[in-house]
Amino acid sequence: MGEKQLVTESEIRETAASGGRPRAAVVRDALGVGVAVGLSGFAFGVTAAGAGISTLQACVLSLLVFTGASQFALVGALAAGGNPFTAAAGAFFLGTRNAFYGLRLSELLRLPRAVRPLAAHWVIDETTAVALAQPDRKSARLGFTVTGLTLYVLWNVTTLLGALGAEAIGDTRAWGLDAAGPAVFLALLAPMLKTATERAVAALALVLGLGFLPVLPAGVPVLIAALAAPVVLWMKGRRS
């Protein structure tokens, strides 16, 4: 009890001195997000190997692309026999959301020009969420950095381990591991659907994606499913 009281008093003093949130609390939350999501790189490594992508190619994707949804979309389309250009287009489309995150984060973080190109590589869902949850710029910078570093390192290490493990066990479909990627993606997406509008967009996207899956080339249904957002927003606008 006494130790807990000392920690509390220490955090209070730190908060008062910095004018923001205690560093320990920011680091704790950032590490939690980074570790939890970073471990899902195993699923990407397994999925990539099942799609016929080599371990080196999977690792390069994680190093240079580093946005889970786009990576899963790319290897998923390739695994379904899709055209590489169509698969890349779908992955690129999903990745464009990070550009909008960057516009918001550039104003919030105001990083030195020298580090902005490196920081831009870490602008993803998780780093954005942690940074925007902070009450001040100093805490936002710390949360962004810790989340980005933890997630980048773990994602790449687990991608390598997942790909090597998948190659060692042979056919991933025989073990049902080809479903690992979509399952992880859905697990990450579900908690984000908090409003009725978001749930409606997700439901319509699911219907469009599955509906066009049998009749369109692999990768194209993902692009069609993206129309769910403007359609739902248009319908909501008409009602109001």
Side-chain angles (χ1 to χ4, degrees):
M1 185 68 179
E3 183 180 353
K4 181 177 181 181
Q5 183 66 27
L6 289 174
V7 172
T8 302
E9 291 176 356
S10 175
E11 289 189 347
I12 291 174
R13 288 195 298 270
E14 185 180 351
T15 302
S18 64
R21 195 175 174 213
R23 287 172 57 90
V26 178
V27 171
R28 180 176 61 245
D29 291 348
L31 285 174
V33 172
V35 171
V37 180
L39 292 176
S40 63
F42 278 114
F44 173 71
V46 170
T47 305
I53 294 176
S54 69
T55 299
L56 177 60
Q57 290 171 328
C59 291
V60 169
L61 276 173
S62 285
L63 285 168
L64 301 183
V65 177
F66 188 53
T67 170
S70 296
Q71 292 178 233
F72 278 120
L74 177 64
V75 299
L78 293 176
N83 182 287
F85 293 102
T86 303
F92 175 81
F93 184 84
L94 287 174
T96 55
R97 72 192 186 285
N98 295 335
F100 296 99
Y101 295 160
L103 293 175
R104 178 67 182 91
L105 288 179
S106 65
E107 179 182 353
L108 172 64
L109 302 178
R110 295 188 181 180
L111 297 171
R113 290 184 180 274
V115 302
R116 287 180 187 175
L118 296 175
H121 194 49
W122 287 356
V123 176
I124 54 176
D125 298 327
E126 293 77 18
T127 54
T128 301
V130 172
L132 292 179
Q134 306 310 317
D136 60 276
R137 177 170 292 116
K138 186 176 181 180
S139 298
R141 285 181 172 180
L142 178 61
F144 176 87
T145 303
V146 174
T147 305
L149 179 61
T150 305
L151 185 49
Y152 188 73
V153 171
L154 274 180
W155 180 266
N156 282 281
V157 170
T158 54
T159 292
L160 173 62
L161 295 178
L164 291 175
E167 287 186 354
I169 65 176
D171 186 6
T172 57
R173 297 188 180 186
W175 296 81
L177 296 179
D178 55 313
V184 170
F185 183 74
L186 290 176
L188 294 175
L189 176 65
M192 301 179 186
L193 305 178
K194 298 179 180 179
T195 67
T197 301
E198 291 170 346
R199 289 191 289 269
V201 170
L204 181 56
L206 178 64
V207 170
L208 291 174
L210 293 179
F212 284 101
L213 188 61
V215 297
L216 292 177
V220 176
V222 176
L223 302 177
I224 300 296
L227 297 175
V231 168
V232 170
L233 292 176
W234 175 76
M235 293 176 64
K236 182 180 179 182
R238 289 197 62 183
R239 290 179 181 176
S240 59

